[in-house]
Amino acid sequence: MTRIAIVGVAGRMGRTLVNAVQQDDGATLAGGVVEPGSSLAGADVGELAGLGKLGVAAAESLEAIVDDFDVLIDFTAPRVTLANLAFCADHGKRIVIGTTGLDEAQIAELDGYGDKLPMVFAPNMSVGVNLTLKLLETAARALGDEGYDIEVIEAHHRHKVDSPSGTALKMGEVVAESLGRNLKEHGVFERVGQCGPRDPKEIGFATVRAGDIVGEHTVMFATEGERIEITHKASSRMTFAKGAVRAARWVAGQDNGRYAMQDVLGL
Ligand code: NAD
């Protein structure tokens, strides 16, 4: 049994993760952490997740539950995640990170922990999205140099704070890498006013924020006469939560290293 703690347990993903751990025969819910000072401290995490009492009280710090868990699942915010990563490295824990929106310096800081603990870091934990990344590699190799324009379009709910989504950026990176392009050089994140005709090598991004959309991503390969679209649509956060619990069980048996969802799924 993998003993899992969830930080940000009162959040949208946190509550869904409680459900996913409860449904998993190989995992047990060992703790939940809310923001320090939260009015939800001490609440039963099962009740926060709409499951009724589970006998696990929401703590305000990782210190308070340090002896109870083996793997931490963290879907919070970049600064919080980096502090939790340091805690896990110092206390012999493992970590699964789903937080997105880390900037370059924060990614470099995260990379610095690669040899200090086993961690899975993935901007999207869904099995379907990770398979989609493989399909994109194949499509980009076959089409990229044949005059196809590549655009990434994503849509998320109105509460999402980072843009484009971590998944959209990952899709752009996979396509760019498959084509020997650099996303920093060829990524176009905004088109306003007289921006001129399209550079054939650019990889464009468009973002929709509206209502309660859980997460939709399309990569379009368009040329004169035809258009191919590879689309993934998530209809429930449970797909990310189940992937994260699977990653937690997997990382419990790994050596130190930074792993991706592709490693977890053997893709
Ligand atoms: P949310 O705002 O609903 O939840 C975040 C929670 O973290 C909040 O409850 C907040 O109180 C808590 N928190 C903040 N600081 C804390 C601290 N110091 N200690 C403990 N808890 C703290 O957001 P969300 O929709 O659940 O998304 C969270 C993150 O997960 C975002 O970065 C989002 O993009 C990412 N996400 C990733 C995936 C994936 O598959 N990798 C899927 C969905 C969302």
Side-chain angles (χ1 to χ4, degrees), residues 109-120:
E109 192 177 334
L110 181 138
D111 272 335
Y113 288 93
D115 58 354
K116 297 194 172 72
L117 80 171
M119 83 166 105
V120 176

Side-chain angles (χ1 to χ4, degrees), residues 207-256:
T207 296
V208 174
R209 291 287 174 267
D212 61 355
I213 302 169
V214 172
E216 301 186 359
H217 295 86
T218 293
V219 180
M220 178 190 290
F221 299 83
T223 190
E224 283 172 23
E226 70 173 359
R227 180 165 95 216
I228 297 156
E229 294 181 357
I230 297 179
T231 295
H232 177 270
K233 294 186 182 182
S235 49
S236 153
R237 288 188 177 80
M238 205 57 178
T239 184
F240 311 126
K242 281 194 169 156
V245 175
R246 186 163 165 180
R249 280 199 277 108
W250 181 86
V251 84
Q254 301 304 313
D255 294 331
N256 289 356

Side-chain angles (χ1 to χ4, degrees), residues 13 74-75 81 96-102 107 110 120-127 129-130 133 154 156 160 162 164-174 214-217 232 234 237 239-241 243-244 247 258-264:
M13 278 306 300
D74 185 325
F75 283 66
T81 295
V96 172
I97 299 171
T99 305
T100 64
L102 283 76
I107 297 274
L110 181 138
V120 176
F121 174 53
N124 196 308
M125 303 266 173
S126 104
V127 175
V129 158
N130 287 283
L133 293 174
E154 61 103 334
H156 279 87
K160 185 161 179 64
D162 52 318
S165 71
T167 306
L169 288 170
K170 182 73 191 170
M171 288 178 165
E173 273 163 21
V174 165
V214 172
E216 301 186 359
H217 295 86
H232 177 270
R237 288 188 177 80
T239 184
F240 311 126
R258 174 184 156 180
Y259 302 99
M261 225 27 215
Q262 311 276 337
D263 301 312
V264 176

Side-chain angles (χ1 to χ4, degrees), residues 10 34-41 60:
V34 291
E35 238 175 304
S38 166
S39 59
L40 298 170
E60 284 182 83

